[in-house]
Amino acid sequence: KTLKDNEETLLEAVEAQSEALFWFTIAGQRGHAGALFNIGLKLLFISKEQRSCTIDLWKSAIRRGYTKAYPALIKLFHTENQKEEAIVWRQLFESHQLLLNDIEGRPIMKPTLKKAEEKYVTLNAMKQKGNKLYRNKNFDQALDQYTRCLEFVEQKDTQDALLQLLSSRIHFNVAMIHFQKKEHEKTIQHCSIAIALDDQYVKPKYRRALTYEATKQYDAALKDFYACMISDSSLTAKVTEDMKRIQMALKNQ
């Protein structure tokens, strides 16, 4: 079969929802990145349950140089509320300046991601593995995985802006594990590091506020709650209730 024939076979396999994984693997091995993208697109239209498979396919297409997959992948991450993934791939997209077109209006093919930028994808994949362990309540294993992530950053460039952004998310996830274990001091410590790395990151501010409240550090809790409200106006109603609760606790002291 030619690559074009193979792509048609792939699309038929997806439409029939049979042996699709086998066929797109064959396409990938043959380097037909466009086929990988098209199969991912078909899967997306067939069923929302196939979105994780579509994401994997589009990542593979990008790694094989198919630039059209970049904006589609970023949009899908936003749809799935995977903001950190969207940030990573947006950064790669912008750094490569992959919006250039040839005279026929087709995306220009690039061979691979730059080696210097593979660290972002690697770290994010490590982080996602930790997230899965956390969601399954395997907190000790998740903590080990996040620790490996932070060690990975230490081996790279700790001044790298995107690595700092990802590190901020990882420190917050570590804080969440300690919060689950009621280890308040460590929760505050890692939330503080996350905020220092990204002062616009609201989640650690809010979690630190709750932890300050749990340890009866009410003034610090109020300060963090107020900072959350300033950073994200959509939290105003929620945070206002939190602050009222703190003020009641202060009155009852």
Side-chain angles (χ1 to χ4, degrees), residues 184-208:
H184 300 308
E185 185 176 340
K186 290 182 178 179
T187 301
I188 292 170
Q189 175 189 352
H190 284 279
C191 282
S192 297
I193 296 173
I195 295 165
L197 290 168
D198 180 7
D199 61 4
Q200 298 302 308
Y201 192 19
V202 177
K203 286 183 178 180
K205 293 178 184 177
Y206 188 79
R207 188 60 50 180
R208 189 173 68 177

Side-chain angles (χ1 to χ4, degrees), residues 44-105:
L44 192 61
F45 285 131
I46 288 172
S47 172
K48 291 182 179 180
E49 296 176 357
Q50 302 291 346
R51 282 180 174 174
S52 62
C53 190
T54 294
I55 286 170
D56 289 339
L57 283 170
W58 287 354
K59 284 181 179 179
S60 294
I62 288 171
R63 290 191 176 98
R64 288 172 173 82
Y66 194 68
T67 64
K68 182 180 178 180
Y70 262 108
L73 179 63
I74 293 165
K75 184 176 180 179
L76 182 54
F77 280 136
H78 280 296
T79 300
E80 293 291 285
N81 201 30
Q82 298 184 35
K83 294 181 181 179
E84 287 83 5
E85 287 271 12
I87 290 169
V88 169
W89 289 90
R90 170 64 67 181
Q91 179 75 19
L92 293 174
F93 181 48
E94 291 176 350
S95 68
H96 287 160
Q97 297 181 338
L98 292 176
L99 289 176
L100 296 175
N101 292 330
D102 64 17
I103 57 174
E104 296 180 7

Side-chain angles (χ1 to χ4, degrees), residues 189-241:
Q189 175 189 352
H190 284 279
C191 282
S192 297
I193 296 173
I195 295 165
L197 290 168
D198 180 7
D199 61 4
Q200 298 302 308
Y201 192 19
V202 177
K203 286 183 178 180
K205 293 178 184 177
Y206 188 79
R207 188 60 50 180
R208 189 173 68 177
L210 291 176
T211 308
Y212 280 140
E213 180 185 4
T215 54
K216 298 184 178 181
Q217 300 180 62
Y218 297 128
D219 289 339
L222 282 173
K223 183 178 178 180
D224 271 352
F225 280 134
Y226 182 73
C228 290
M229 192 165 54
I230 295 300
S231 298
D232 187 350
S233 59
S234 69
L235 294 174
T236 299
K238 181 180 173 118
V239 170
T240 298
E241 291 301 314

